[in-house]
Amino acid sequence: MTNHKTIPIHRFSAEEIAARDNEMGLDANSEQVHWYSEDELDALEEHDPLLATRIAQRQARIDKLRPYIVNGQTPPLTETALIAVLEEARQILLRDGGDLELVAIQGTVVRVRLKGACVGCPNSMLDLKNVVEKIVRRTFPQVTEVQNTY
């Protein structure tokens, strides 16, 4: 018989998380956000590895959401460019048996058709907003919405 040691889990309150975010310089209400360099993160990791990890993860998420800028300008929203960007979202959906295709670009609204396991899935609208729309808007910030067309 093996002895399993129970590791206590500390659940942080919203106030504790906000205080930790403020300590990291990532206060959502702050206009000035400190961006930590790799050297700063390495130095911080020596005395507070948890904080350094949280900062690195938060910065990675923020960095992924930054729009892709070509020569200081937003890339034009063309069908060819959009299909290339949608391929990244498509690869994520394919992991769970879903799929998508581009239907139309109507001004600043992109219409797609969710297919495969996404049809009828209760999480499909969350995937549309949290995966597909974020990936599209990261490259094309001029897109205001991604809609599913049946």
Side-chain angles (χ1 to χ4, degrees), residues 105-116:
I105 302 170
Q106 298 174 327
T108 60
V109 176
V110 172
R111 294 188 178 274
V112 297
R113 181 172 293 119
L114 293 174
K115 302 181 338 182

Side-chain angles (χ1 to χ4, degrees), residues 61-130:
R61 283 195 304 268
I62 291 169
D63 201 39
K64 285 179 94 175
L65 296 175
R66 288 184 177 175
Y68 175 71
I69 303 297
V70 179
N71 297 329
Q73 296 180 350
T74 302
L77 182 59
T78 63
E79 187 172 330
T80 306
L82 185 57
I83 289 171
V85 170
L86 285 173
E87 186 60 31
E88 180 183 348
R90 186 172 175 264
Q91 293 303 316
I92 293 169
L93 295 177
L94 283 169
R95 292 180 200 159
D96 292 325
D99 202 353
L100 84 130
E101 67 180 356
L102 176 63
V103 174
I105 302 170
Q106 298 174 327
T108 60
V109 176
V110 172
R111 294 188 178 274
V112 297
R113 181 172 293 119
L114 293 174
K115 302 181 338 182
C118 289
V119 177
C121 175
N123 288 330
S124 64
M125 289 301 106
L126 289 172
D127 289 341
L128 183 69
K129 295 296 177 195
N130 295 331

Side-chain angles (χ1 to χ4, degrees), residues 18-50:
R20 196 74 171 186
D21 285 351
N22 195 16
E23 178 184 341
M24 290 189 301
L26 298 171
D27 183 12
N29 299 323
S30 173
E31 300 230 355
Q32 289 253 346
V33 175
H34 177 73
W35 195 265
Y36 288 80
S37 69
E38 289 297 319
D39 292 336
E40 288 175 311
L41 286 172
D42 289 343
L44 182 59
E45 187 174 27
E46 289 179 17
H47 74 275
D48 195 343
L50 178 62

